[in-house]
Amino acid sequence: MKKIAIILFLIVCCVSLPALQMGVAFADTTVPETETYYIGGDFSDVSTKATTNQNIWFSGNYIEQISYAQLANGGPAYYNTNSAITNCCANVAGSVILGFYDRYNEDLMPDMSSYSSAHNKYWPMSMVKKPVQNVTDDLYARMGTNTIKPGTNESQFFTGLTSYCQSKGTKINKISIASNGKLNISALQQSFKDNKPVAILSNVYNKASINSAQAGMSVNIYDTPHIFIAIGYVIYGVYNENNQLVETFEALKVINGIDSVSSVMYLNYNYLKIENAYRIEIA
């Protein structure tokens, strides 16, 4: 009986040993479960995508802008026009970054100039639609959008942008300016003062419309993982009938990759869930 017991013990050990070698592979399979894939929205149907809408009324009579920090002349408001590619907010955000820097290095965006010096503004999407879309399509392939799961994860986003910049003889650098789901406001302001755009990766985002005369704001909230580009930071003041400041609130000026113009985003973490944010430099 002792011999039989020993033989059985050896058999169990031999069978178990290969299973122990599978531990690393098992750990790797858990990574995609926690990785966020950003899918964003679409220019053609953004108005129907809001998860919810909330009207906010402040305890005052009117709203005025107190201070702001913004990129020089803002940035280009691009969006996707190719129905053949989907979940492409990361690709559009990449094009916005490249379009911003194309003002200073016109080799970044082939067959176009993103900025008009004569008009002191970035050309609207309607004027540069084809070359911008070509870059967005290029980034769709370089980032591997929709190849793992619907959308693009953070690693894919930066891998694709790095690849594109290298193909143009430039380098991209990113500096984190967020932690624990919140922006580092001083670093954000400094980024804009230094004329550097900020890429924000979020799980929930919003679009706000401020009613200055009635001290109110309408906020469309989108419960969708999204990448967008911040180009400004604003502090608003709420004043009473005696013109006394009673409260303040913050907002971002952003290019959300969905609208044809820049928009306002209420900087309140009940309406904006940030995963990461990066100051972006291309040289």
Side-chain angles (χ1 to χ4, degrees):
M1 291 297 291
K2 289 184 179 180
K3 290 183 179 180
I4 294 173
I6 292 171
I7 292 170
L8 288 173
F9 175 77
L10 291 173
I11 291 173
V12 170
C13 288
C14 291
V15 171
S16 299
L17 284 173
L20 293 174
Q21 300 302 315
M22 299 300 289
V24 174
F26 177 78
D28 289 345
T29 62
T30 65
V31 174
E33 298 302 319
T34 59
E35 187 77 61
T36 299
Y37 287 78
Y38 302 92
I39 60 176
D42 183 73
F43 173 73
S44 63
D45 62 355
V46 63
S47 61
T48 67
K49 293 285 188 177
T51 304
T52 186
N53 174 272
Q54 186 168 341
N55 292 317
I56 300 171
W57 300 103
F58 297 99
S59 56
N61 286 60
Y62 65 94
I63 296 171
E64 283 189 355
Q65 180 176 291
I66 294 177
S67 65
Y68 71 94
Q70 181 176 303
L71 299 179
N73 302 108
Y78 299 153
Y79 51 88
N80 177 48
T81 63
N82 180 4
S83 60
I85 65 174
T86 58
N87 307 318
C88 53
C89 68
N91 320 133
V92 175
S95 289
V96 171
I97 293 168
L98 294 168
F100 172 80
Y101 279 106
D102 183 78
R103 172 182 178 180
Y104 309 101
N105 179 357
E106 292 194 356
D107 291 334
L108 279 175
M109 303 282 280
D111 305 319
M112 64 170 280
S113 293
S114 65
Y115 186 80
S116 170
S117 298
H119 298 89
N120 292 318
K121 67 177 185 179
Y122 286 90
W123 290 113
M125 183 71 178
S126 59
M127 299 290 290
V128 289
K129 176 180 175 180
K130 185 175 180 180
V132 170
Q133 190 60 53
N134 287 341
V135 172
T136 300
D137 292 348
D138 187 334
L139 291 173
Y140 181 87
R142 289 179 190 268
M143 292 181 185
T145 299
N146 296 327
T147 59
I148 303 173
K149 289 184 177 181
T152 312
N153 65 34
E154 181 179 321
S155 176
Q156 290 176 301
F157 175 61
F158 285 112
T159 296
L161 268 176
T162 299
S163 171
Y164 185 94
C165 288
Q166 288 175 341
S167 74
K168 302 301 178 183
T170 60
K171 293 182 179 180
I172 184 170
N173 184 43
K174 62 184 176 78
I175 302 171
S176 176
I177 62 166
S179 62
N180 300 318
K182 293 186 177 181
L183 292 167
N184 180 327
I185 298 301
S186 61
L188 179 76
Q189 291 175 302
Q190 190 61 50
S191 293
F192 298 142
K193 290 176 183 177
D194 293 341
N195 204 32
K196 307 299 181 186
V198 172
I200 298 180
L201 293 73
S202 67
N203 271 318
V204 175
Y205 67 103
N206 69 75
K207 181 180 176 182
S209 177
I210 297 173
N211 186 335
S212 298
Q214 297 184 7
M217 178 167 53
S218 176
V219 184
N220 284 327
I221 303 160
Y222 301 85
D223 189 9
T224 304
H226 188 42
I227 301 178
F228 56 89
I229 306 304
I231 61 172
Y233 167 78
V234 187
I235 298 176
Y236 289 96
V238 182
Y239 296 82
N240 63 20
E241 67 275 11
N242 298 317
N243 300 319
Q244 297 172 318
L245 180 66
V246 293
E247 65 178 300
T248 63
F249 66 91
E250 302 166 291
L252 298 173
K253 187 173 183 181
V254 306
I255 296 170
N256 60 23
I258 300 170
D259 292 311
S260 58
V261 294
S262 62
S263 61
V264 174
M265 190 171 293
Y266 184 27
L267 185 47
N268 180 310
Y269 296 110
N270 292 318
Y271 308 93
L272 177 62
K273 305 297 184 184
I274 293 175
E275 289 212 337
N276 282 310
Y278 298 95
R279 167 179 169 142
I280 305 296
E281 304 170 351
I282 294 179

